[in-house]
mmCIF file with all atom_site columns, all heavy atoms in Angstrom:
data_model
loop_
_atom_site.group_PDB
_atom_site.id
_atom_site.type_symbol
_atom_site.label_atom_id
_atom_site.label_alt_id
_atom_site.label_comp_id
_atom_site.label_asym_id
_atom_site.label_entity_id
_atom_site.label_seq_id
_atom_site.pdbx_PDB_ins_code
_atom_site.Cartn_x
_atom_site.Cartn_y
_atom_site.Cartn_z
_atom_site.occupancy
_atom_site.B_iso_or_equiv
_atom_site.pdbx_formal_charge
_atom_site.auth_seq_id
_atom_site.auth_comp_id
_atom_site.auth_asym_id
_atom_site.auth_atom_id
_atom_site.pdbx_PDB_model_num
ATOM 1  N N   . GLY A 1 15 ? 99.415  105.623 112.817 1.00 94.00 ? 237 GLY A N   1
ATOM 2  C CA  . GLY A 1 15 ? 98.305  106.364 112.225 1.00 94.00 ? 237 GLY A CA  1
ATOM 3  C C   . GLY A 1 15 ? 98.717  107.089 110.949 1.00 94.00 ? 237 GLY A C   1
ATOM 4  O O   . GLY A 1 15 ? 97.992  107.116 109.976 1.00 94.00 ? 237 GLY A O   1
ATOM 5  N N   . LEU A 1 16 ? 99.903  107.682 111.001 1.00 94.00 ? 238 LEU A N   1
ATOM 6  C CA  . LEU A 1 16 ? 100.407 108.406 109.804 1.00 94.00 ? 238 LEU A CA  1
ATOM 7  C C   . LEU A 1 16 ? 100.604 107.439 108.629 1.00 94.00 ? 238 LEU A C   1
ATOM 8  O O   . LEU A 1 16 ? 100.522 107.829 107.480 1.00 94.00 ? 238 LEU A O   1
ATOM 9  C CB  . LEU A 1 16 ? 101.729 109.093 110.116 1.00 94.00 ? 238 LEU A CB  1
ATOM 10 C CG  . LEU A 1 16 ? 101.683 110.341 110.992 1.00 94.00 ? 238 LEU A CG  1
ATOM 11 C CD1 . LEU A 1 16 ? 103.080 110.822 111.345 1.00 94.00 ? 238 LEU A CD1 1
ATOM 12 C CD2 . LEU A 1 16 ? 100.906 111.462 110.308 1.00 94.00 ? 238 LEU A CD2 1
ATOM 13 N N   . ASN A 1 17 ? 100.859 106.162 108.977 1.00 94.00 ? 239 ASN A N   1
ATOM 14 C CA  . ASN A 1 17 ? 101.041 105.166 107.908 1.00 94.00 ? 239 ASN A CA  1
ATOM 15 C C   . ASN A 1 17 ? 99.710  104.605 107.438 1.00 94.00 ? 239 ASN A C   1
ATOM 16 O O   . ASN A 1 17 ? 99.676  103.713 106.593 1.00 94.00 ? 239 ASN A O   1
ATOM 17 C CB  . ASN A 1 17 ? 101.928 104.040 108.391 1.00 94.00 ? 239 ASN A CB  1
ATOM 18 C CG  . ASN A 1 17 ? 103.369 104.501 108.503 1.00 94.00 ? 239 ASN A CG  1
ATOM 19 O OD1 . ASN A 1 17 ? 103.803 105.380 107.748 1.00 94.00 ? 239 ASN A OD1 1
ATOM 20 N ND2 . ASN A 1 17 ? 104.082 103.951 109.450 1.00 94.00 ? 239 ASN A ND2 1
ATOM 21 N N   . GLY A 1 18 ? 98.598  105.058 108.024 1.00 92.00 ? 240 GLY A N   1
ATOM 22 C CA  . GLY A 1 18 ? 97.275  104.628 107.581 1.00 92.00 ? 240 GLY A CA  1
ATOM 23 C C   . GLY A 1 18 ? 96.635  103.554 108.441 1.00 92.00 ? 240 GLY A C   1
ATOM 24 O O   . GLY A 1 18 ? 95.630  102.981 108.038 1.00 92.00 ? 240 GLY A O   1
ATOM 25 N N   . ASP A 1 19 ? 97.164  103.322 109.622 1.00 93.00 ? 241 ASP A N   1
ATOM 26 C CA  . ASP A 1 19 ? 96.598  102.341 110.549 1.00 93.00 ? 241 ASP A CA  1
ATOM 27 C C   . ASP A 1 19 ? 95.428  102.979 111.314 1.00 93.00 ? 241 ASP A C   1
ATOM 28 O O   . ASP A 1 19 ? 95.632  103.788 112.247 1.00 93.00 ? 241 ASP A O   1
ATOM 29 C CB  . ASP A 1 19 ? 97.686  101.869 111.530 1.00 93.00 ? 241 ASP A CB  1
ATOM 30 C CG  . ASP A 1 19 ? 97.191  100.831 112.517 1.00 93.00 ? 241 ASP A CG  1
ATOM 31 O OD1 . ASP A 1 19 ? 95.956  100.739 112.734 1.00 93.00 ? 241 ASP A OD1 1
ATOM 32 O OD2 . ASP A 1 19 ? 98.027  100.125 113.098 1.00 93.00 ? 241 ASP A OD2 1
ATOM 33 N N   . ALA A 1 20 ? 94.199  102.661 110.905 1.00 93.00 ? 242 ALA A N   1
ATOM 34 C CA  . ALA A 1 20 ? 93.026  103.321 111.457 1.00 93.00 ? 242 ALA A CA  1
ATOM 35 C C   . ALA A 1 20 ? 92.835  102.992 112.940 1.00 93.00 ? 242 ALA A C   1
ATOM 36 O O   . ALA A 1 20 ? 92.446  103.848 113.734 1.00 93.00 ? 242 ALA A O   1
ATOM 37 C CB  . ALA A 1 20 ? 91.783  102.919 110.663 1.00 93.00 ? 242 ALA A CB  1
ATOM 38 N N   . ALA A 1 21 ? 93.100  101.740 113.334 1.00 94.00 ? 243 ALA A N   1
ATOM 39 C CA  . ALA A 1 21 ? 92.901  101.354 114.749 1.00 94.00 ? 243 ALA A CA  1
ATOM 40 C C   . ALA A 1 21 ? 93.853  102.119 115.637 1.00 94.00 ? 243 ALA A C   1
ATOM 41 O O   . ALA A 1 21 ? 93.476  102.602 116.705 1.00 94.00 ? 243 ALA A O   1
ATOM 42 C CB  . ALA A 1 21 ? 93.115  99.829  114.893 1.00 94.00 ? 243 ALA A CB  1
ATOM 43 N N   . ALA A 1 22 ? 95.108  102.244 115.209 1.00 95.00 ? 244 ALA A N   1
ATOM 44 C CA  . ALA A 1 22 ? 96.091  103.010 115.984 1.00 95.00 ? 244 ALA A CA  1
ATOM 45 C C   . ALA A 1 22 ? 95.647  104.473 116.074 1.00 95.00 ? 244 ALA A C   1
ATOM 46 O O   . ALA A 1 22 ? 95.743  105.101 117.138 1.00 95.00 ? 244 ALA A O   1
ATOM 47 C CB  . ALA A 1 22 ? 97.470  102.910 115.370 1.00 95.00 ? 244 ALA A CB  1
ATOM 48 N N   . HIS A 1 23 ? 95.170  104.994 114.982 1.00 95.00 ? 245 HIS A N   1
ATOM 49 C CA  . HIS A 1 23 ? 94.737  106.397 114.938 1.00 95.00 ? 245 HIS A CA  1
ATOM 50 C C   . HIS A 1 23 ? 93.563  106.636 115.903 1.00 95.00 ? 245 HIS A C   1
ATOM 51 O O   . HIS A 1 23 ? 93.525  107.612 116.627 1.00 95.00 ? 245 HIS A O   1
ATOM 52 C CB  . HIS A 1 23 ? 94.356  106.795 113.528 1.00 95.00 ? 245 HIS A CB  1
ATOM 53 C CG  . HIS A 1 23 ? 94.241  108.270 113.318 1.00 95.00 ? 245 HIS A CG  1
ATOM 54 N ND1 . HIS A 1 23 ? 95.284  109.134 113.584 1.00 95.00 ? 245 HIS A ND1 1
ATOM 55 C CD2 . HIS A 1 23 ? 93.208  109.043 112.885 1.00 95.00 ? 245 HIS A CD2 1
ATOM 56 C CE1 . HIS A 1 23 ? 94.877  110.372 113.327 1.00 95.00 ? 245 HIS A CE1 1
ATOM 57 N NE2 . HIS A 1 23 ? 93.640  110.323 112.902 1.00 95.00 ? 245 HIS A NE2 1
ATOM 58 N N   . ARG A 1 24 ? 92.638  105.682 115.907 1.00 95.00 ? 246 ARG A N   1
ATOM 59 C CA  . ARG A 1 24 ? 91.510  105.748 116.819 1.00 95.00 ? 246 ARG A CA  1
ATOM 60 C C   . ARG A 1 24 ? 91.969  105.730 118.269 1.00 95.00 ? 246 ARG A C   1
ATOM 61 O O   . ARG A 1 24 ? 91.555  106.546 119.102 1.00 95.00 ? 246 ARG A O   1
ATOM 62 C CB  . ARG A 1 24 ? 90.544  104.599 116.553 1.00 95.00 ? 246 ARG A CB  1
ATOM 63 C CG  . ARG A 1 24 ? 89.317  104.563 117.470 1.00 95.00 ? 246 ARG A CG  1
ATOM 64 C CD  . ARG A 1 24 ? 88.477  103.339 117.190 1.00 95.00 ? 246 ARG A CD  1
ATOM 65 N NE  . ARG A 1 24 ? 88.081  103.286 115.772 1.00 95.00 ? 246 ARG A NE  1
ATOM 66 C CZ  . ARG A 1 24 ? 86.915  103.739 115.324 1.00 95.00 ? 246 ARG A CZ  1
ATOM 67 N NH1 . ARG A 1 24 ? 86.045  104.246 116.163 1.00 95.00 ? 246 ARG A NH1 1
ATOM 68 N NH2 . ARG A 1 24 ? 86.638  103.666 114.041 1.00 95.00 ? 246 ARG A NH2 1
ATOM 69 N N   . ALA A 1 25 ? 92.860  104.770 118.578 1.00 95.00 ? 247 ALA A N   1
ATOM 70 C CA  . ALA A 1 25 ? 93.383  104.664 119.942 1.00 95.00 ? 247 ALA A CA  1
ATOM 71 C C   . ALA A 1 25 ? 94.092  105.945 120.353 1.00 95.00 ? 247 ALA A C   1
ATOM 72 O O   . ALA A 1 25 ? 93.938  106.441 121.473 1.00 95.00 ? 247 ALA A O   1
ATOM 73 C CB  . ALA A 1 25 ? 94.336  103.484 120.057 1.00 95.00 ? 247 ALA A CB  1
ATOM 74 N N   . LEU A 1 26 ? 94.832  106.509 119.415 1.00 95.00 ? 248 LEU A N   1
ATOM 75 C CA  . LEU A 1 26 ? 95.553  107.759 119.695 1.00 95.00 ? 248 LEU A CA  1
ATOM 76 C C   . LEU A 1 26 ? 94.582  108.882 120.026 1.00 95.00 ? 248 LEU A C   1
ATOM 77 O O   . LEU A 1 26 ? 94.708  109.549 121.056 1.00 95.00 ? 248 LEU A O   1
ATOM 78 C CB  . LEU A 1 26 ? 96.415  108.157 118.491 1.00 95.00 ? 248 LEU A CB  1
ATOM 79 C CG  . LEU A 1 26 ? 97.147  109.488 118.649 1.00 95.00 ? 248 LEU A CG  1
ATOM 80 C CD1 . LEU A 1 26 ? 98.377  109.352 119.508 1.00 95.00 ? 248 LEU A CD1 1
ATOM 81 C CD2 . LEU A 1 26 ? 97.526  110.090 117.311 1.00 95.00 ? 248 LEU A CD2 1
#
Side-chain angles (χ1 to χ4, degrees):
Chain A
L238 286 174
N239 289 329
D241 180 341
H245 195 57
R246 179 183 303 265
L248 176 79

